[in-house]
Amino acid sequence: MKYPWNDYSRKLSPLKLMVFVALFLPASWTLVAFLTGNLGARPLNEAIHQQGLWTIRLILIALAINPLRSILQWQRLILVRRMVGVGAFAYVMLHFALYVADENFNPLTVASEIVLRIYLTIGFVALVGLAALAATSTDAMVRRLGRKWWALHRLIYLICLLGLIHYSMQSKLEQWEPTIADGIFVWLMLYRLAARKLAVRGRLPLPWIAGLGVTATVLTALGEAVYFLIAFAGRVTLTTALGTNFSLQLGVRPAVVVAAFSLIVLVAGVARIHLAPPPKGRPRYNAGRHWRWWCPALP
Ligand code: HEM
């Protein structure tokens, strides 16, 4: 019998078991808060928000697994990618089910709202996309679809983009967290572009990882500044909007959070090369310490 916490050789994988249990925690937390009356004045709406947030977070975590596996040279991380992706689908179904409950289970209202409200239409398209990916995520489907499976599963980039647009549109003026999610999505997409062109023996050298962190940070700052210019037309200039990133007057800005994320990944990559032994079975490459510093491809 194969359980979700088993690895390919059907042995218990502590990593898979931990992630499996962790995936239930956010929904359980919402359930307990709901049952104990701790979800505020509109509990159902708050529950919709929390499951929506976890959907987008899990999609971003699933997208981060491949880069982190390579940068940290932690091959077994791939074992949990499918689980996190299916978890994102479970959360979006919960998000949708709670929305249907909030509309008093009236199918006509639900259908007309999805057609008439553009942010719901976008969310619904993303949900259908995630359903297609979840339905084709079994080993049998991977074998049956062959190369087409990869083409289909690349849709996750578009689905994530639609999820982020839905998130930003419903957040109206409060764009702090959506902008952070956008910035991390930019980092993840830049990583894939760079890895395709610049990888050395399947790994992106650390200077490129530093460079893409800087690019994602600058793009996040520019994205937020453009939003400020549009939302507060005439009252804000580009310089003042960008200047907010260098003070704490408006709190920690999204670009600073994206910079911190990029730096943590970079430091983890450097530490992996210097502090941990090379992964089992990788040949020693006699390129000297200097290259080991810069290029995670060299063990
Ligand atoms: C992959 C698909 C989806 C993702 C990633 C997603 C994500 C999100 C996120 C992150 C939020 C905001 C949470 C917050 O600010 O605290 C949200 C809100 C919301 N979403 Fe979704 N969602 C998706 C699909 C859907 C679908 C299919 C529906 C319903 C048809 C839906 C209905 C809503 C509603 C009603 C809200 C709250 C809006 C408000 O209170 O003004 N979402 N969603």
Side-chain angles (χ1 to χ4, degrees), residues 5 56 64 70 88 103 113 115 142 154 175 195 229 236 260 264 286 293:
W5 47 82
I56 199 72
S70 170
E103 296 293 343
E113 289 281 289
V115 171
V142 177
R154 257 184 226 127
Q175 290 295 331
L229 291 185
V236 174
I264 289 169
N286 191 12
W293 228 97

Side-chain angles (χ1 to χ4, degrees), residues 42 45 48-56 59 92 95-96 99 110 114 119-120 122-127 130 159 163-164 166-167 170-172:
R42 295 172 64 202
N45 187 268
I48 294 173
H49 277 256
Q50 289 183 4
Q51 312 321 302
L53 271 176
W54 279 101
T55 306
I56 199 72
I59 296 176
V92 79
H95 181 61
F96 181 58
Y99 168 73
V110 170
I114 291 175
Y119 86 94
L120 291 182
I122 293 172
F124 194 72
V125 173
L127 177 145
L130 271 186
I159 292 169
L164 288 170
H166 165 84
Y167 183 13
Q170 73 80 42
S171 296
K172 298 166 191 105

Side-chain angles (χ1 to χ4, degrees), residues 114-172:
I114 291 175
V115 171
L116 296 176
R117 287 178 189 254
I118 184 77
Y119 86 94
L120 291 182
T121 318
I122 293 172
F124 194 72
V125 173
L127 177 145
V128 172
L130 271 186
L133 300 196
T136 54
S137 69
T138 58
D139 289 341
M141 273 306 210
V142 177
R143 276 194 300 274
R144 191 185 309 170
L145 291 175
R147 287 167 72 86
K148 279 190 213 141
W149 188 89
W150 288 104
L152 178 69
H153 279 248
R154 257 184 226 127
L155 277 181
I156 190 63
Y157 307 136
L158 180 64
I159 292 169
C160 188
L161 183 64
L162 292 176
L164 288 170
I165 295 173
H166 165 84
Y167 183 13
S168 288
M169 284 178 82
Q170 73 80 42
S171 296
K172 298 166 191 105

Side-chain angles (χ1 to χ4, degrees), residues 176-208:
W176 188 78
E177 200 172 335
T179 311
I180 294 174
D182 294 344
I184 289 175
F185 179 68
V186 167
W187 189 99
L188 293 166
M189 292 300 102
L190 286 176
Y191 175 89
R192 280 164 172 84
L193 279 180
R196 197 177 287 180
K197 301 269 174 226
L198 305 161
V200 180
R201 287 207 262 147
R203 293 214 174 89
L204 191 60
L206 290 178
W208 290 111

